[in-house]
Amino acid sequence: MMMMNQRAEFSMLLALVVLSAICEVGLCRYGIVTIKRLGGGADFQGPRNSPEIETLARFAVDEHNKKDNGLLVFGRVLKVKEQVVSGKLYHLTLEAIDAGKKKIYEAKVWVKPWMNFKQLQEFKHASDNAPFTSANLAVMRDGLGWQEVPTQDPEVREAADHAVKAISRISNSIYPYQLLEVLRAKAEVLKDLVKYNLFLKLKRDIYEEKFEVEVQKTLNGKFVLKLMKHSTPDM
């Protein structure tokens, strides 16, 4: 009887191990293995144009070309995030040339350095994403001057929140400003930063006020308020 119980416990343990392993693997467009995500991605701490990151981006383009018989030519890396998995999963936003035109792509590359393992998990055109996101702003707008962007975009909202906090500090009032609405948003991409020109409707105590602000976002992700004035937008 004891022997049967031990065998049953062993069988259950083996089943759990197998089930756990199945949860870690599956099917992937670019290979037979995909990975279970263990945590959210974070901004890559090193330079995005480092040899390491550029090698991964070129690898992603090459693997995509092999799989889809494509002719994309790697251009540059625009944004990098890394995610800790069994190894690391790199989320790359990159520029590549397709038939003479610059386009933006997003790729995910899984790396296990100790096994000399590298696999492309995903590669897609940035416009395949349903909503507009400012992660791709730098490529889509590069060199085109000020461009209208959605007021509900996450980075626009983050820039607006920074501006409101800065205005509250500058006003030195006992009543802090509150953001009611982003009335209009524009963005301009330069070599080392992104500039946001925003018309904001704010509230302080019982009063509503409108401000025009310019907020800059540097390469390291820091927001800086550069311009602030009362203004009524030309609607």
Side-chain angles (χ1 to χ4, degrees), residues 132-146:
F132 171 90
T133 61
S134 293
N136 305 317
L137 178 66
V139 229
M140 294 188 289
R141 312 298 190 198
D142 196 3
L144 297 181
W146 289 103

Side-chain angles (χ1 to χ4, degrees), residues 96-198:
I97 300 172
D98 181 18
K101 295 182 179 180
K102 293 180 179 179
K103 296 183 179 180
I104 309 312
Y105 297 88
E106 295 177 351
K108 295 179 183 178
V109 180
W110 182 20
V111 177
K112 294 182 181 180
W114 67 93
M115 294 178 59
N116 196 26
F117 171 88
K118 186 163 51 180
Q119 184 183 79
L120 180 63
Q121 289 277 302
E122 182 177 280
F123 193 99
K124 62 183 179 181
H125 193 276
S127 64
D128 291 343
N129 296 330
F132 171 90
T133 61
S134 293
N136 305 317
L137 178 66
V139 229
M140 294 188 289
R141 312 298 190 198
D142 196 3
L144 297 181
W146 289 103
Q147 299 289 320
E148 295 280 350
V149 292
T151 57
Q152 296 301 317
D153 178 77
E155 287 204 16
V156 169
R157 303 295 296 188
E158 192 174 353
D161 288 340
H162 174 85
V164 173
K165 291 177 183 177
I167 292 171
S168 292
R169 288 196 300 268
I170 294 171
S171 69
N172 200 29
S173 170
I174 60 173
Y175 299 106
Y177 280 96
Q178 298 177 354
L179 177 63
L180 296 180
E181 185 181 359
V182 179
L183 299 172
R184 185 189 301 167
K186 294 182 179 181
E188 181 182 22
V189 176
L190 303 177
K191 183 178 180 181
D192 298 324
L193 54 86
V194 179
K195 297 196 297 185
Y196 294 93
N197 182 270
L198 310 175

